[in-house]
Amino acid sequence: MKSNMNRLIKVFIFLVTISLVIGTATATCNVVVITDPTGTDPNGAAAGSMSWAANMFQSTFILSKEKHFGVLSGGEGQSTPRLQAIVGTLTKLENGASPSEAASTASSYSGIRVMVGTATQGAAVGGDFNVYLVTVSNNGTITVTPYANGGLAVLPAGTKGAIIHLRNSEGNPQAGTADTVRRETAVNIGKMIRDGYNATYIVGKAMEEVAIDSGEKHGGGGINLVSGVTTGDMFTPENLNETGYSMDAAFYKVCPTDGWRVSYPEADNYQTCPNDGTTLKTVYAYDALIDAITVSNNSLSVSTYGTDAAGISETTEEIVTASVKKHGYSADEISKDINSAIDNGLLVGVNYVEPKDINVKASSKAVGVYYKQLADHRTSPTWNLPVSSSFLNIVGNIQTAIGLILVLLVLFRSTLIKSFLKKR
């Protein structure tokens, strides 16, 4: 419990620091979809956020891979109260609160909205919002209920359904569309749930509809609440006070034959696959989101812990996927391949791992890798040499002394020579 509180305190300090140097990252579209309330389907619960506004960083969609909940935030209030509401919500969820109990935290802060989604306990939104609550019964009956002017709206545990919030941001050229788009998207979400589509697909299609029809389209991103997969920084802005990637824009081109791909804007230079000449397929951001958070029967879910360094998560996923394909779900082999990548400079800033640092769950096709960051800003671990570090320090000191003597000889050689001649 103490470690959880320390982590939450660190999160709060980080978010407050961010709020002091950038404009508030406020999501205007939040959506949670649950198609399998039992948590059995690896793609049965998902969520996403986006907005017309700038600074849509990952703080607007926080995912707990261990406890399978997500927290989406937004609202028209001040940034510091919103961050306090987020931390309060996370604290309650870490202590076992229900989504409704956790989301109700936002009601204590003016203009703040918090939406909570879970894999098995339902979903809720609290605070200041305009949402539609969607429920789909076992016989296929769709119920779409509007909730406005805030308070609390709850999708009960054990229920297939969704919650979608949507408002128009100030400056959005499509302002005035939110009410209609919110209702129409809610209805379409209900139809897709009824027709058997999984939650990850529905979240992506809902974000497509919202992006095109309302203009609230900048990333943001999506999260898979069951499998613990997220789009990460795929669509978030590279620089402060920018809007990020448009969810309705072309994201990359891919070869249907061999999977070769190239991202935009470089993709503008390619029409065919350089490997076999096949015409490339254009994939838009909303479909890339679906691909990123959807776990297939043949796919592997790789999670990294202990470091947030850029590139570590993506590179680890590639290494682990290749290792599992070659050796199976072996913690020994995975750790060897990761350590080899560290030696080759593919993974930077983390220490070597041991088999005990690899959490393998073959039944659910999931692997967790627990890293330890290197101290003193080192980029690679110390070498395992057959001599002690104290011996190397002595050698280093000797070399330093010799070097200083040589420098003195160079600087004062004329004086030394004259002194030597006089003594003769």
Side-chain angles (χ1 to χ4, degrees), residues 30-270:
N30 296 134
V31 58
V32 172
V33 178
I34 299 176
T35 55
D36 176 19
T38 70
T40 304
D41 181 358
N43 303 305
S49 286
M50 60 183 177
S51 175
W52 167 264
N55 295 320
M56 280 294 294
F57 292 99
Q58 292 185 50
S59 62
T60 59
F61 55 109
I62 298 172
L63 171 67
S64 170
K65 296 182 179 182
E66 296 87 357
K67 296 192 175 182
H68 306 285
F69 66 72
V71 176
L72 313 178
S73 63
E76 299 176 348
Q78 297 298 311
S79 59
T80 299
R82 185 168 70 87
L83 299 178
Q84 292 173 331
I86 293 172
V87 174
T89 300
L90 290 171
T91 302
K92 289 182 178 180
L93 289 169
E94 288 284 353
N95 291 328
S98 67
S100 59
E101 291 170 335
S104 63
T105 304
S107 298
S108 300
Y109 301 91
S110 177
I112 305 304
R113 176 181 70 262
V114 173
M115 187 179 294
V116 176
T118 67
T120 58
Q121 299 181 58
V125 57
D128 182 17
F129 56 76
N130 289 90
V131 304
Y132 275 95
L133 175 67
V134 182
T135 60
V136 181
S137 66
N138 292 331
N139 64 10
T141 301
I142 302 170
T143 304
V144 179
T145 307
Y147 286 83
N149 302 320
L152 187 68
V154 180
L155 178 65
T159 306
K160 294 181 181 180
I163 303 175
I164 179 170
H165 174 277
L166 179 62
R167 287 175 179 159
N168 285 127
S169 301
E170 183 179 353
N172 182 349
Q174 292 177 258
T177 58
D179 291 343
T180 300
V181 176
R182 183 171 63 249
R183 181 180 64 253
E184 292 178 349
T185 305
V187 172
N188 290 332
I189 288 174
K191 291 178 179 179
M192 286 186 282
I193 295 174
R194 179 199 62 194
D195 294 342
Y197 292 95
N198 59 46
T200 53
Y201 175 85
I202 296 172
V203 165
K205 302 311 286 183
M207 295 179 78
E208 173 188 356
E209 184 173 356
V210 169
I212 294 173
D213 294 343
S214 78
E216 301 297 324
K217 60 184 180 180
H218 298 128
I223 51 181
N224 182 326
L225 300 170
V226 183
S227 300
V229 183
T230 172
T231 56
D233 59 0
M234 282 177 64
F235 310 111
T236 57
E238 294 184 3
N239 301 307
L240 300 182
N241 298 321
E242 291 185 353
T243 54
Y245 210 86
S246 296
M247 204 59 65
D248 59 346
F251 194 66
Y252 64 80
K253 289 182 180 178
V254 61
C255 176
T257 304
D258 62 11
W260 182 89
R261 67 172 62 183
V262 57
S263 300
Y264 281 88
E266 187 181 356
D268 284 324
N269 301 321
Y270 294 87

Side-chain angles (χ1 to χ4, degrees), residues 11 28 36 77 83-84 138 224 236 288 320 329 342 365 406:
V11 169
T28 47
D36 176 19
L83 299 178
Q84 292 173 331
N138 292 331
N224 182 326
T236 57
V320 172
Y329 288 89
I342 292 173
K365 295 182 174 63
L406 291 174

